[in-house]
Amino acid sequence: MILAGGFVLGEVLGLQNQVALEVTAAAVLTVIPAGLCAAACRRFAAVPKEHRSADRGKSLWLWLLPVFLCAGFLRAGQERALCERELELALDGKHLSVEGTVSAWELWEDGGKVLVLKDCGLIRRIQIYLEEEDDPVRVGMRIRAEGMVQTPESARNPGEFDRQLYYRSRKLNYRMFADAYEEIRDARRGIQGLADAAAERLARLRVQIGKVLDEIADEREAGIYRAVLLGERAGMDPDIRNLYQKSGIAHLLAVSGLHLSLVSLAVYGTLRRCGTGYGAAGAAGAFVLAAYAVLTGAAPSVLRALLMACCGFAAAWLGRSADLMTSWSLALILILWDSPYLLLQSGTQLSFGALAGIGWLAPAFLPGEGENCKKAVQALLVSISMQLVTLPILLYHFFQYPTYGIWLNFLVVPLMGGVVASGAAGILLGTFRAAAGRFALGSGYLILRWFEFCCQIAGCLPGSLWTPGRPAAWQIGVYYGVLAAVVRQCGERRTAPATRMRRRAGTALAGKLLLPAAAVLLLIPRPVRGLTVTFLDVGQGDGICLQSEAAVVLVDGGSSDQKNLGSQRLVPFLKSQGITEIDLAVVTHADQDHISGLRYLLEEEIEICIKQLVLPACGRQDEAYEEMEQQIRMRGGQVIWMEQGQVLAAGDLRITCLYPGAVVDSEDRNDQSLVLRVDYQAFHMLLTGDMTAEGEQQLLGQLPPGALSDIQVLKVSHHGSAYSTSEAWVEAVSPVWSVVSYGEGNRYGHPSARVMCMLRERGRKVFETAADGAVTLTTDGRTVRWNQYLK
């Protein structure tokens, strides 16, 4: 495990950005290895001669650690360089012809096929989408496809899912929606041809199994069985997927070690009982497990289980016992050597983290020699160990933790084998007769209903979800450092005399759990200090979040080009910040590029509560405002109709409406847009919504000269439109910093070149969400610090 840890640390350093890479390269390749080697020498020299033979093995690990550290660093750096070289080709948005060999395919959830081509010349692999499901494309076939090439989008806001990193973990940097394709060469021959033929048969078998499940099961249950048996989660009912995830049992919907252990018992165990030797039984078991891994898409959790099972087969053949953490380490190194970016994926981290909880942390809690403990208590301790190791991973990727997940897993995990067995029987019998397949699924139906019932009950209990947000890197590091200290301390205690251990058996368990329980407190987010303002990258629209010690304020939240803004950007951001209550949600005006995400929060998101909704008083008769008023009142919130001169205050935070009044002689919603002055001690900011140049002129006429001269930050009106942000307005406000929120390549031509030149010519720093991603400022009321998410 020490060597695997060194390899992982090396890959973490190797995957950093170029600046961090250059800074850490010397330390990784020289200082750290030299220091560890010196430590090993000193350790060995300090050991008496009579004990040196026993200590030589420990010293060997310290000698090898720098080797694995450097290996991980160099392999990750190589993979990162390959990805960057492909992205430098700048193929995004180009219509190209790509030739390559089909290495895998599957059916697309919206119809058609998804292919992976390899050996494509300048790029290693590319994903191809074909519209027709019946296209005669086979694994091993050489084809030429034409279409528009796209680069998967990277995360642009805190908490947002990074599709680019996900595709990189699959060694993909580009994808294409093909208009047409042609066959260049049929499937290959020889050994590679046999491998391709086997992969093609497994792909077709996967499709056939899916069709059988669709025939013998209802749509809801068929989606679950597809996920559990084939690893296909795209077709699952979203409500079921969310229910399982929020209850802490989403791991049951993934093909994992449980499935491979059942297959292993069915093949390897049966052959051994029939008298087959260890070698032959192990080879057969490994072959069947490998085929099942390919059939289910070879996810990291499946590959991990496959490699560990092969280690167990090899150990039995050699007449030795398999060590859990040794096989765990080998599997981790092999998988990350093949694809270093898998290290950053939640599935990989959770799969290996759960096993680390069993093999690394649990032994520290389980009773030692001379201590007695019931099996139920031991099972509980193992479950607690798994939860403790995976807790930071869950919070980092999903920002929430199901507090009743430990107990819920006790109720459902023992029954999961029944679901898998009923599904396998249903597929087997349903191939010949649909009625027999449905009958075989009967027991599985009952178990799934029990799962759903348990999840619903757990969700109704108070405090079922803890949402602390995403912990910082230093919090995660300190947390795992505490767990490592616990493991070391408990390991030393195990060397104490047995009589002494028996005397302390009554209090030992509580003492062991006390420190890890206290370590959980390290993951609690620190309270907000000062004021933090985040200008979210919502595409073509506006979304601004203000966080202070006293309140959370959301100003707008909409987009005209991001259809899933609420679920994919706004909600993940709020949860990553640990925000479950919004004190004030301000709507500057009711255009969709300002309210689409807010409407999602009001209509569909039940985990985030909006206490008060602020609407412009001049728009009372607008149907859009009336709908939002009804929605907030149905959820127990209040409505504030805001007009000129009105002030909202929370602690040191003050929000003043400067414009417009209660009545506006215009039907254009942009003329109804609220202009808000935000004051926090000596910090001053102006939020202008989609204010027009005419509105700017009217406001300047109503205010005394110099009333806006203390403004430091200006949110540029109407996404930098040419019809806003006049020269007189910029002269009157004279901001130090400006922020423009717009979507790249939008059809409106925002921002205007005139506006951008005018702001820059006056020496102002201009931040752009399309170029910088989310832009965040933090202030204590005096100084201001900026952070750009993509920089």
Side-chain angles (χ1 to χ4, degrees):
M1 186 175 181
I2 295 176
L3 300 184
F7 185 83
V8 169
L9 177 59
E11 289 211 333
V12 168
L13 296 173
L15 292 176
Q16 300 305 306
N17 58 44
Q18 188 62 34
V19 175
L21 198 64
E22 294 173 356
V23 170
T24 57
V28 172
L29 297 176
T30 58
V31 178
I32 295 178
L36 290 172
C37 290
C41 293
R42 289 196 300 270
R43 175 186 174 91
F44 187 70
V47 176
K49 292 183 178 181
E50 59 272 17
H51 296 139
R52 285 189 179 181
S53 59
D55 197 67
R56 185 174 286 109
K58 296 181 180 179
S59 299
L60 179 61
W61 298 121
L62 291 177
W63 280 96
L64 290 177
L65 181 59
V67 176
F68 279 75
L69 185 72
C70 293
F73 179 82
L74 295 174
R75 176 66 186 98
Q78 178 193 39
E79 183 68 20
R80 183 173 174 274
L82 289 173
C83 290
E84 290 181 347
R85 186 181 66 187
E86 290 187 5
L87 291 175
E88 287 174 356
L89 298 174
L91 304 180
D92 187 34
K94 296 182 178 179
H95 193 281
L96 300 174
S97 175
V98 177
E99 180 180 328
T101 303
V102 179
S103 62
W105 64 266
E106 61 182 359
L107 296 183
W108 193 9
E109 59 178 308
D110 295 329
K113 279 185 177 180
V114 183
L115 317 177
V116 176
L117 300 188
K118 63 179 182 179
D119 303 329
C120 303
L122 293 177
I123 56 177
R124 295 174 295 172
R125 291 153 58 95
I126 187 172
Q127 192 173 62
I128 307 290
Y129 294 86
L130 300 179
E131 292 184 356
E132 297 298 328
E133 182 177 319
D134 298 328
D135 283 320
V137 178
R138 299 185 301 278
V139 176
M141 181 183 289
R142 187 85 178 171
I143 68 170
R144 180 183 294 113
E146 294 184 4
M148 184 68 70
V149 177
Q150 294 181 355
T151 302
E153 191 173 15
S154 61
R156 305 184 64 84
N157 298 279
E160 185 180 349
F161 178 70
D162 197 323
R163 287 177 176 79
Q164 190 173 88
L165 276 182
Y166 170 73
Y167 276 85
R168 281 192 181 189
S169 70
R170 302 178 63 187
K171 300 181 181 179
L172 293 166
N173 291 300
Y174 293 103
R175 57 183 180 178
M176 172 190 286
F177 292 87
D179 301 325
Y181 79 94
E182 61 176 331
E183 179 182 343
I184 303 299
R185 187 192 67 209
D186 201 354
R188 293 172 291 188
R189 301 187 181 187
I191 298 178
Q192 186 60 55
L194 292 176
D196 291 341
E200 176 66 21
R201 289 181 180 274
L202 289 173
R204 295 183 180 276
L205 177 61
R206 181 189 181 110
V207 173
Q208 184 60 37
I209 291 175
K211 291 180 178 179
V212 172
L213 286 173
D214 291 339
E215 183 179 2
I216 66 176
D218 297 334
E219 182 178 358
R220 188 181 179 94
E221 280 71 24
I224 297 177
Y225 277 110
R226 278 176 171 271
V228 170
L229 298 175
L230 299 176
E232 298 178 356
R233 301 181 64 174
M236 275 194 63
D237 186 326
D239 294 335
I240 288 291
R241 183 167 59 244
N242 292 335
L243 181 65
Y244 277 47
Q245 182 172 330
K246 293 174 182 177
S247 302
I249 61 171
H251 59 91
L252 299 181
L253 300 175
V255 180
S256 61
L258 171 65
H259 305 70
L260 268 72
S261 64
L262 293 175
V263 175
S264 175
L265 288 174
V267 178
Y268 180 80
T270 300
L271 291 176
R272 286 293 301 131
R273 283 192 292 271
C274 293
T276 307
Y278 285 108
F287 177 79
V288 173
L289 291 180
Y292 183 66
V294 175
L295 178 69
T296 57
S301 59
V302 177
L303 293 178
R304 187 264 307 159
L306 169 63
L307 292 171
M308 293 182 68
C310 290
C311 289
F313 296 153
W317 179 54
L318 296 172
R320 306 183 66 175
S321 59
D323 178 70
L324 176 63
M325 295 312 296
T326 300
S327 57
W328 177 93
S329 301
L330 180 61
L332 180 63
I333 292 173
L334 292 177
I335 289 174
L336 295 185
W337 182 270
D338 178 66
S339 179
Y341 278 100
L342 281 174
L343 176 62
L344 306 179
Q345 299 303 306
S346 60
T348 306
Q349 295 174 7
L350 288 172
S351 178
F352 281 94
L355 261 294
I358 296 174
W360 174 63
L361 186 60
F365 299 146
L366 293 175
E369 184 181 353
E371 294 180 321
N372 296 321
C373 186
K374 295 182 179 180
K375 290 185 177 180
V377 176
Q378 293 185 28
L380 176 61
L381 291 175
V382 171
S383 181
I384 291 175
S385 300
M386 294 171 61
Q387 298 290 333
L388 285 172
V389 173
T390 57
L391 175 59
I393 302 172
L394 287 170
L395 295 183
Y396 186 85
H397 292 283
F398 305 107
F399 327 121
Q400 296 177 308
Y401 178 74
T403 52
Y404 302 112
I406 293 178
W407 312 106
L408 200 57
N409 276 279
F410 267 105
L411 298 175
V412 300
V413 170
L415 301 176
M416 194 58 198
V419 176
V420 175
S422 69
I427 292 170
L428 182 62
L429 297 177
T431 303
F432 304 100
R433 191 174 183 84
R438 296 190 188 97
F439 177 79
L441 290 181
S443 60
Y445 277 169
L446 295 176
I447 297 174
L448 292 176
R449 290 289 180 270
W450 169 248
F451 288 1
E452 191 172 342
F453 173 76
C454 291
C455 291
Q456 292 172 345
I457 294 298
C460 294
L461 297 176
S464 59
L465 270 179
W466 177 43
T467 310
R470 172 172 285 176
W474 71 265
Q475 291 177 294
I476 297 175
V478 173
Y479 176 86
Y480 281 124
V482 171
L483 292 189
V486 170
V487 172
R488 180 176 179 82
Q489 182 183 23
C490 293
E492 292 176 352
R493 287 183 179 179
R494 286 176 177 272
T495 62
T499 55
R500 183 184 175 188
M501 293 179 65
R502 279 194 295 269
R503 285 197 302 267
R504 291 194 277 178
T507 59
L509 182 58
K512 292 175 182 178
L513 294 174
L514 181 61
L515 191 57
V520 174
L521 301 177
L522 293 170
L523 301 177
I524 297 178
R526 294 177 296 171
V528 176
R529 295 180 180 179
L531 175 67
T532 299
V533 182
T534 304
F535 299 86
L536 294 170
D537 180 5
V538 295
Q540 183 63 20
D542 269 359
I544 307 165
C545 182
L546 294 79
Q547 302 176 65
S548 71
E549 304 95 328
V552 174
V553 181
L554 184 63
V555 180
D556 289 335
S559 177
S560 59
D561 63 355
Q562 299 294 324
K563 295 182 179 180
N564 298 315
L565 171 70
S567 60
Q568 295 184 0
R569 294 195 179 187
L570 187 54
V571 170
F573 166 76
L574 294 172
K575 290 183 177 180
S576 72
Q577 304 299 303
I579 297 173
T580 56
E581 289 186 348
I582 298 173
D583 298 284
L584 293 170
V586 183
V587 177
T588 60
H589 64 294
D591 284 350
Q592 283 300 306
D593 61 341
H594 289 253
I595 66 169
S596 62
L598 280 174
R599 297 194 71 160
Y600 176 85
L601 292 180
L602 292 172
E603 296 171 2
E604 301 186 41
E605 180 58 45
I606 62 174
E607 296 174 18
I608 297 177
C609 171
I610 298 177
K611 294 182 178 180
Q612 294 180 310
L613 182 65
V614 181
L615 302 173
C618 57
R620 278 182 181 269
Q621 305 305 318
D622 194 312
E623 183 179 348
Y625 296 126
E626 291 178 356
E627 290 179 1
M628 297 183 74
E629 180 182 12
Q630 293 175 2
Q631 292 165 350
I632 188 66
R633 293 195 187 281
M634 288 176 60
R635 297 188 58 172
Q638 299 177 346
V639 174
I640 298 174
W641 294 96
M642 198 171 197
E643 60 182 274
Q644 190 174 34
Q646 193 167 350
V647 178
L648 302 173
D652 291 332
L653 178 64
R654 291 172 57 85
I655 301 176
T656 306
C657 179
L658 301 182
Y659 182 88
V663 179
V664 174
D665 187 19
S666 174
E667 296 182 358
D668 188 348
R669 285 176 176 164
N670 290 340
D671 292 327
Q672 302 171 2
S673 186
L674 295 177
V675 177
L676 305 173
R677 177 187 174 111
V678 178
D679 299 302
Y680 184 86
Q681 298 179 15
F683 170 78
H684 311 289
M685 177 173 63
L686 196 62
L687 307 179
T688 56
D690 278 1
M691 189 183 197
T692 62
E694 291 78 6
E696 295 169 0
Q697 185 178 359
Q698 291 180 22
L699 177 57
L700 290 177
Q702 297 171 6
L703 295 175
L708 301 178
S709 61
D710 60 346
I711 295 296
Q712 299 159 280
V713 178
L714 171 67
K715 201 289 291 183
V716 177
S717 176
H718 205 177
H719 324 292
S721 167
Y723 303 102
S724 301
T725 317
S726 64
E727 187 171 351
W729 175 255
V730 175
E731 287 291 342
V733 178
S734 187
V736 180
W737 301 281
S738 299
V739 180
V740 187
S741 177
Y742 68 95
E744 186 176 4
N746 64 84
R747 59 179 178 173
Y748 308 102
H750 296 160
S752 164
R754 176 192 65 82
V755 172
M756 299 300 288
C757 289
M758 180 173 56
L759 291 170
R760 288 178 175 138
E761 284 174 357
R762 285 163 172 76
R764 312 308 182 198
K765 172 63 177 176
V766 182
F767 296 97
E768 306 170 62
T769 58
D772 303 325
V775 178
T776 302
L777 75 84
T778 306
T779 178
D780 59 1
R782 296 179 299 276
T783 59
V784 178
R785 297 186 303 276
W786 291 89
N787 178 65
Q788 299 143 277
Y789 191 76
L790 296 183
K791 298 295 179 69

